[in-house]
Each structure stands twice: as C-alpha cells, then as structure tokens.
Amino acid sequence: MHDCKSRQTLGFLGFILLFLSTLLHPVASQAETIEVGILQSAPVQKIVLVRHAKQFEDVNPDIQVKLNFYSDADFKVALAEWLESSRGPDIVTWQGGQRLYQYVEQNQVEDLSAIWSKYNLHSNFAEGAVKAVSLNNRRYAIPVSYYQWGFYYRRSVFQTLGLSEPSSWQEFLNVCETLKNAGITPITIGAKNKWTSAAWFDYLNLRINGLDYHQRLLQGEISFNNAGVKNVFKKWKQLLDSGYFVDRYNGWTWSEAMPYMYHKMAGMTLIGNFFAGAMPTTLRDDFGFFRFPIIDSKQKIYEEAPLDLYMVPKYVNLNSSVERFLVSLSSTEFQQTYNEGVGMISPNIKVRSNSDYFIQEGQRTLKQAAGVSQFFDRDTNADMAGAATAIFTDFMDHKNISKTINELEIARQKFLL
C-alpha cells in the first residue's frame, strides 16, 4: 500500500516536472517545420546542405528544417505535381531563366522582391544572376550557384606554336588556322547527344545579336527567318568550311571527344566547367581557359552560365520562418561553403575567390558579364530544345543555312506559337 502511494506521488511529481519543463521551454515543443525539396546533383551537395540546416536550427531553435533530396528525373516530376496540386515543400531548388519564368507566368511562384529590398540583396549578387531570377523587375528566387562556359585549351600546344588566348573573332580565326597548319584539329566536340552543339548557336547569337534578342528568339517572339539568325549561321559555317572541327563529332558524347585534346590532336573545346572535373589529373595544369571571343565590339558581353536557385511555391505562406531560411541561403558564409564543396561558382560577389584556377577564371568571366543565358534547353521549352539541338547538329554535317533556318522556323511555329 505504501509503495503504491509512493508510485502515485512520484508519478504526480513527474507530471508536474514535465508541465514545468514545457512552460520553461516552449520553443522546442512549438518549433515550426520548414520543408525543402532539393534536386540532388552530387553527394557532397547533401553533406553541405544538411550541415547548414543544422547550423540554422542552432541559431533559430523555433524552426526545424526538413530536407528532402530527389534525383533529377524524380524531382522534375515531383515539382510539377507540387505546383499543380498546391501542396508540397515550402522551398524548392530550381533553375534560372525560362525554367523559372514559366512558373512565374503561371502564377505558381512567390514574388520575393520585398525580401530582396528588406535585406538589400541586390548588393550581394552579380548582375547576371539577378537578371536570371527577375521578370518584369520583380525578384522570384535566391541565386545559389552557377558555372561558366567557354574555351578550354592545351597551354603547351599554344606555347609551342606561339599562340595567345584570343579575345576577338579575328584572333580566334588566326589561332584556328595556325593549329590546323600545324596538323592539329583546332576544335573538338562530341555531339552524339545533340545538346553540346547548341552552345555554338547560343554563343554566336549572344555575341552577334545580344541577350534580349537571344531570349526573345528562344521564346518564339522572333522568327528564325530573321537576318540576325542568318548571320549566326554564316559565322558558324565559316568555321565548318575551314575544317576547324573534328570529323566524327556526332559519333561521340562530349567526354568521348576530349581525348583529342589529351593526346594533342586537338587544341581546344567549347564546354562548361564540369569538364574541369573530368580532366586527367596529370594534365590539369596544362589546361587554360578563355571566354568566347568578341565578334561585335558594340555588343555587351553576355555569357552562358546555367544558374541554380531556391524559389517559394505560390501555395506557401511566406512567413518569418521561410524568410529567415531564404536569407540564410543568400548569405556569403553559406554560398562560400556550398560552392567550394560542389565545385561551382557563387553568384554572391562577396564570396572570397576560390583557389581553383578554373573557378577563379569563371568568377572573373561572370562578374564582367552584363547578363547570362541559361543554355538553349533551359531558355526554351523541352519540345523546341529537342528539335533545335538535332537541327544544329545536322547543320554541322550539311552546312546548308537555308535548310537549317527553314527547319528551325517550322519548329518555332509548332512548339512556340
């Protein structure tokens, strides 16, 4: 009997202690959960984001962050379902330019302009990155990372032939001709999967006609019969007619075409900085980088730089908790750690320079850019991208400008109008 009363007393005291603990520590029991949907590109990305979420929770004990990681294919299916059903994560990763704008125009993404103004985020980010998350002068996302495209070349080959990095189109042609005369194919490319050929169209169009023209063209607002497009293919044909590309480019993937440079059978390639991670370590120090040469000196300098970002779906209550986590993603500290971890470039201009040569070159190139495009398949819809990249690759075979422009215009009318 005595033992029973003791147990009752202890049970009552335990209840009181639990009640008092709840009163004294209400935050832990009332923590709000923020869910983040992430397209995972590499294992290290998950490690860095999990660490950041834990650090954020330590500073903000009233918020719990739940990170959900998805493969590329699974994420794209899930994102469409979340936006369509108005139910899903509070914050999601996505991609800049048209990939973002398509959801903004469907009123499925929150306007973050007030957060940008409140925290003066404009002063933290490169101009090109700001433009890639903006539409009609409103900001719809937080830029997180991007990478440059440009020419990668063998330094020793250039040095042997007395060549310097070309900055103008004529200098570029001179480099190509010198390489060819030395028995070295100037440019290697692997276009078996078609999309790499689009980089040539994108850069020629940006250098000749500018970013606004390029974006309007890829959205169907300008006909491919326009004279500006013809000028693009004239320049491209000039390189093809001169024999500056490897012959069997459409039989290889991009990585399968790179041994031409490894064995000094080709001098350079136009590719994204993901190539830096694929270089043989023994040859890495012999590779250099230069931006796509200037064709029209009156045209502003625009670069190809696919941008990753975080956006908030329209169905989300944009409260203080969501706002605080978004601001943490924009911080110099996070962007420094994240981009060093994944080998990308931070759009936050206050991030200190990375010691990696290719990242430094990318930072320099993109900070000087007046704007950035996202790459052809991100700047137009999937149907147009599939048709156009095949047409570009075929053009490199037959070199018929009229045929190519006609096929592109048919595709525009079918997929963009």
Side-chain angles (χ1 to χ4, degrees):
M1 189 73 172
H2 178 78
D3 291 342
C4 181
K5 288 183 177 180
S6 297
R7 286 195 296 270
Q8 288 176 343
T9 302
L10 287 172
F12 179 73
L13 287 173
F15 173 79
I16 294 295
L17 289 172
L18 178 63
F19 177 73
L20 290 174
S21 176
T22 302
L23 289 177
L24 293 171
H25 304 284
V27 172
S29 62
Q30 298 174 10
E32 180 178 1
T33 298
I34 295 176
E35 187 175 344
V36 186
I38 301 162
L39 192 165
Q40 184 174 347
S41 57
V44 68
Q45 176 195 24
K46 183 174 184 178
I47 294 171
V48 176
L49 286 170
V50 168
R51 185 183 302 126
H52 175 70
K54 179 62 172 64
Q55 292 171 343
F56 177 83
E57 290 174 340
D58 290 342
V59 177
N60 300 272
D62 58 327
I63 303 174
Q64 292 181 343
V65 181
K66 181 181 179 183
L67 304 179
N68 294 323
F69 295 87
Y70 302 81
S71 68
D72 184 277
D74 289 343
F75 181 87
K76 288 174 180 175
V77 171
L79 178 61
E81 292 177 351
W82 296 331
L83 298 178
E84 186 65 29
S85 66
S86 296
R87 186 171 60 253
D90 302 287
I91 300 171
V92 295
T93 54
W94 195 225
Q95 298 156 349
Q98 186 55 36
R99 292 278 176 94
L100 170 65
Y101 303 154
Q102 63 179 334
Y103 293 129
V104 171
E105 290 166 348
Q106 294 169 19
N107 196 34
Q108 293 179 314
V109 179
E110 278 286 353
D111 182 352
L112 305 182
S113 300
I115 293 176
W116 277 74
S117 296
K118 180 178 178 179
Y119 297 94
N120 193 27
L121 298 185
H122 299 78
S123 65
N124 292 350
F125 290 103
E127 181 181 359
V130 175
K131 289 182 178 179
V133 300
S134 303
L135 189 64
N136 299 324
N137 205 34
R138 311 295 295 173
R139 318 297 177 224
Y140 290 92
I142 302 296
V144 172
S145 62
Y146 56 1
Y147 62 90
Q148 81 276 16
W149 275 70
F151 280 98
Y152 294 75
Y153 70 97
R154 291 296 299 272
R155 296 178 190 270
S156 58
V157 171
F158 273 43
Q159 290 169 356
T160 299
L161 298 176
L163 296 172
S164 301
E165 296 176 357
S167 59
S168 69
W169 185 250
Q170 187 55 55
E171 289 174 355
F172 179 70
L173 294 178
N174 293 340
V175 166
C176 289
E177 190 65 17
T178 301
L179 288 166
K180 183 183 176 183
N181 290 338
I184 299 171
T185 303
I187 304 162
T188 187
I189 178 175
K192 180 179 181 179
N193 296 329
K194 314 301 182 186
W195 60 270
T196 48
S197 60
W200 283 91
F201 177 84
D202 283 358
Y203 258 117
L204 289 167
N205 198 30
L206 290 169
R207 291 293 186 258
I208 294 170
N209 299 309
L211 182 59
D212 180 66
Y213 180 100
H214 182 69
Q215 292 175 333
R216 289 167 57 210
L217 179 71
L218 270 58
Q219 289 309 298
E221 298 175 19
I222 298 175
S223 169
F224 279 88
N225 289 318
N226 185 275
V229 176
K230 188 173 183 179
N231 290 335
V232 167
F233 285 105
K234 283 181 177 178
K235 281 287 190 286
W236 200 349
K237 189 175 187 297
Q238 181 182 13
L239 301 177
L240 293 165
D241 285 343
S242 299
Y244 292 158
F245 287 90
V246 292
D247 293 331
R248 289 192 61 251
Y249 63 89
N250 57 358
W252 297 309
T253 63
W254 72 264
S255 58
E256 291 170 340
M258 294 306 110
Y260 264 76
M261 283 204 299
Y262 302 156
H263 298 289
K264 298 188 177 182
M265 298 167 65
M268 52 190 171
T269 190
L270 175 62
I271 199 77
N273 194 50
F274 49 83
F275 171 52
M279 296 172 185
T281 54
T282 54
L283 299 179
R284 185 179 173 88
D285 290 343
D286 194 40
F287 275 93
F289 174 88
F290 62 88
R291 72 183 179 196
F292 198 99
I294 304 304
I295 297 176
D296 181 355
S297 60
K298 300 184 186 67
Q299 189 64 254
K300 289 183 179 179
I301 299 174
Y302 301 106
E303 301 295 342
E304 194 100 286
L307 177 78
D308 292 331
L309 52 81
Y310 283 87
M311 65 182 186
V312 178
K314 194 71 174 180
Y315 58 75
V316 173
N317 175 24
L318 190 54
N319 57 24
S320 171
S321 298
V322 175
E323 176 180 310
R324 275 183 276 167
F325 193 70
L326 286 173
V327 173
S328 79
L329 295 172
S330 75
S331 70
T332 303
E333 293 76 17
F334 168 72
Q335 299 220 354
Q336 181 87 49
T337 302
Y338 179 79
N339 287 290
E340 284 184 353
V342 299
M344 303 281 268
I345 298 169
S346 171
N348 185 320
I349 58 177
K350 296 181 180 178
V351 166
R352 67 179 181 272
S353 182
N354 192 300
S355 60
D356 180 85
Y357 162 78
F358 295 105
I359 296 296
Q360 288 182 341
E361 286 298 296
Q363 289 174 324
R364 180 181 59 81
T365 298
L366 297 180
K367 282 179 181 179
Q368 294 174 353
V372 297
S373 65
Q374 297 299 303
F375 204 83
F376 195 97
D377 62 356
R378 290 193 183 192
D379 281 327
T380 192
N381 66 38
D383 290 331
M384 185 64 192
T389 52
I391 292 169
F392 296 149
T393 307
D394 289 342
F395 169 73
M396 295 185 71
D397 274 330
H398 59 65
K399 295 173 273 193
N400 187 322
I401 294 177
S402 297
K403 172 182 168 65
T404 300
I405 287 176
N406 182 57
E407 290 175 347
L408 288 168
E409 180 58 21
I410 291 172
R412 180 184 82 101
Q413 294 186 26
K414 181 178 181 180
F415 299 124
L416 297 180
L417 299 183

